[in-house]
Amino acid sequence: MAAGRNGRTVRDLRRANRTVVLQRLYFDGPLSRFELGPATGLSSGSVSNVVADLVADGLVEEAGSVDSDGGRPRTLLRVAPASGHMIGVDVGETRVRIELFDLTLTELARAERPLEQQRYEVEVIVGHIRDGVAEVLAEAGIAPERLLGVGIGVPGIVERTPDRGAVVHGQTIGWDAVPLEHLLRSTSQLPDAVPYFIDNGAKTLGQAEMWFGGGRGARNAVVVLFGSGVGACLVTPEVEHGRAVEWGHLTVRVRGRRCRCGALGCLEAYAGAESLLERWREEGGRPPEGVDEETALTAMLAAAYPPAGAEADPVALAVLEETAEYLGAGLSDLINLFQPERILIGGWAGLQLGARFLPAVRRYAASYALRHPAEKVTVELGRLGPDAVTVGAAILPLAGFFARGGRRPEPPPEGPAPAWRTALQERAPH
């Protein structure tokens, strides 16, 4: 197909026009054809053609009408919720959560797999994801072929390689170059055309908050995740979809506590939920035994901040107050380095902790940061709750769907089998 002066083909132009119309209807709809013109910058003729294509493909449907000035009522259009489905997976500290969504991110089914002692054993995680995906599809009665993709948020750094796909380097959980995508492909019953999108959990949290939560409208933001560990996602005009940063392994105390990563003095060693509970125990506190970290942290907060008339646990209170200062100091580094408009705090531990001492964290952040950037930033809790990582993971295939102009994923081209598949075949019993 011939390309224009800027290298774009007619097919590229059509895809771009479909993308912009879909996105405007998705985020701002329902809208009429008349409203789509100024909203997208397309001519009325282009809008009509694109809408006709999207309606024919089943991606857009009518959603009532509104009166016009002196003319016929205008038909409203919206994205058809049942025209596509995505799965989001959160590989968390205490459980693997799998959720199935329709195209408008309405949850249709969910499955959870608790993680026990050897919680990050690779084969166990792969099995939980594989079985959970099959479970939610069966519960909702959705054929695997209808999936636009499976998004997965994981702890650690994700590297994309040509022969092994997404590889996870999770030093704090003992994952050394784990080829997660290919392990899933080798055991899953999903069709080859269904793509996997694997990324850092803090980035998927950031994606969700920027699209639907407290980050909407911000050009520069940092979304931080507090769970057992600590992470962050940086969003700037240059990094529109966000970039995961290993903020939890910033050194906040020289020769300090030993972190899960093996280094000394990391922020995570003072602010992560796992370290909070360890510090409470080391100082003479009594965390509940035989419960997961979420339950134990809830108990710690209740001990430090009891109902009126009850006596507070002084050890728990002292540890939490010190943690507020570490969190504030850690946020000040983000403020000084990136000068964001907003900082959003999320993750199950972040939401619990922030509800108790967010004002103190703000004060410490302002006291440690440079005055000018500190005066321009707001520090708030995320708005999407503890499911935000899963929602953000599901956004990954949704973003790919938009980028393709609403086209479904295509099967991979025929060619030599990738190295990982050849290796598996060679290892298989004959």
Side-chain angles (χ1 to χ4, degrees):
M1 185 175 291
R5 291 182 179 178
N6 60 2
R8 300 180 75 193
T9 65
V10 173
R11 181 180 296 173
D12 294 333
L13 183 60
R14 287 175 179 165
R15 181 174 60 244
N17 289 349
R18 285 170 61 101
T19 293
V20 72
V21 169
L22 271 175
Q23 288 181 322
R24 289 284 61 78
L25 287 175
Y26 193 86
F27 291 107
D28 303 325
L31 296 170
S32 67
R33 290 172 177 82
F34 179 78
E35 293 170 312
L36 277 169
T40 61
L42 299 177
S43 68
S44 59
S46 294
V47 168
S48 294
N49 290 335
V50 171
V51 167
D53 283 347
L54 295 174
V55 170
D57 289 346
L59 295 174
V60 168
E61 63 186 16
E62 294 185 0
S65 61
V66 292
D67 293 334
S68 62
D69 296 334
R72 293 184 305 172
R74 294 193 178 113
T75 300
L76 293 175
L77 303 165
R78 69 177 182 183
V79 171
S83 58
H85 300 84
M86 301 84 64
I87 287 177
V89 179
D90 175 13
V91 179
E93 289 93 3
T94 61
R95 64 177 63 87
V96 176
R97 178 180 289 132
I98 304 99
E99 296 183 54
L100 173 68
F101 301 90
D102 68 15
L103 199 62
T104 57
L105 284 173
T106 297
E107 182 187 314
L108 303 180
R110 76 160 56 192
E112 294 194 351
R113 298 288 191 273
L115 298 177
E116 306 299 338
Q117 260 66 20
Q118 294 181 321
R119 53 191 185 183
Y120 287 119
E121 185 178 338
V122 175
E123 290 78 9
V124 171
I125 299 294
V126 169
H128 285 337
I129 296 173
R130 178 196 62 224
D131 297 343
V133 166
E135 180 180 325
V136 295
L137 288 172
E139 181 180 336
I142 302 297
E145 293 76 14
R146 294 194 56 78
L147 284 178
L148 301 177
V150 178
I152 304 173
V154 297
I157 298 169
V158 179
E159 175 188 18
R160 284 161 187 83
T161 65
D163 59 336
R164 296 193 299 166
V167 174
V168 183
H169 302 269
Q171 188 168 325
T172 60
I173 61 173
W175 284 19
D176 183 14
V178 171
L180 182 60
E181 180 178 352
H182 294 151
L183 291 172
L184 289 168
R185 282 273 178 221
S186 67
T187 60
S188 171
Q189 300 301 311
L190 294 181
D192 285 347
V194 176
Y196 286 93
F197 299 82
I198 301 173
D199 219 320
N200 177 272
K203 181 177 175 180
T204 69
L205 170 67
Q207 185 97 59
E209 289 288 350
M210 295 304 293
W211 276 38
F212 301 109
R216 289 202 68 178
R219 287 171 54 81
N220 297 276
V222 178
V223 183
V224 299
L225 185 155
F226 289 101
S228 181
V230 178
C233 173
L234 170 69
V235 179
T236 67
E238 295 77 25
V239 193
E240 182 182 357
H241 294 295
R243 175 167 60 88
V245 290
E246 292 293 336
W247 174 56
H249 302 289
L250 186 86
T251 303
V252 294
R253 188 165 182 173
V254 175
R255 293 186 295 277
R257 290 177 59 84
R258 178 77 61 182
C259 178
R260 296 189 301 174
C261 73
L264 299 176
C266 295
L267 175 63
E268 186 171 297
Y270 294 90
E274 181 178 299
S275 66
L276 270 175
L277 296 168
E278 286 179 358
R279 288 162 60 207
W280 186 23
R281 184 179 296 106
E282 290 168 2
E283 296 296 326
R286 294 183 177 180
E289 300 293 336
V291 299
D292 62 29
E293 284 180 1
E294 294 186 41
T295 304
L297 184 61
T298 300
M300 183 179 185
L301 286 163
Y305 304 99
E311 186 175 351
D313 179 333
V315 176
L317 184 60
V319 170
L320 287 168
E321 288 180 343
E322 183 184 45
T323 298
E325 184 167 5
Y326 276 114
L327 289 180
L331 293 183
S332 75
D333 290 321
L334 295 175
I335 293 170
N336 291 342
L337 285 170
F338 305 117
Q339 301 178 32
E341 302 166 46
R342 300 177 201 172
I343 294 178
L344 299 170
I345 297 174
W348 63 266
L351 295 174
Q352 284 200 50
L353 296 172
R356 285 292 187 179
F357 49 66
L358 185 59
V361 171
R362 289 191 187 115
R363 288 196 303 272
Y364 284 121
S367 68
Y368 281 105
L370 294 170
R371 184 172 61 253
H372 181 69
E375 289 173 348
K376 294 180 175 295
V377 68
T378 59
V379 180
E380 304 289 344
L381 294 182
R383 297 181 186 173
L384 298 182
D387 286 352
V389 172
T390 319
V391 173
I395 288 174
L396 298 176
L398 179 61
F401 180 67
F402 284 154
R404 295 189 300 271
R407 305 292 186 190
R408 301 192 69 81
E410 296 182 358
E414 293 293 334
W420 66 271
R421 180 170 290 167
T422 302
L424 286 170
Q425 291 170 344
E426 291 174 350
R427 285 161 46 192
H430 296 287

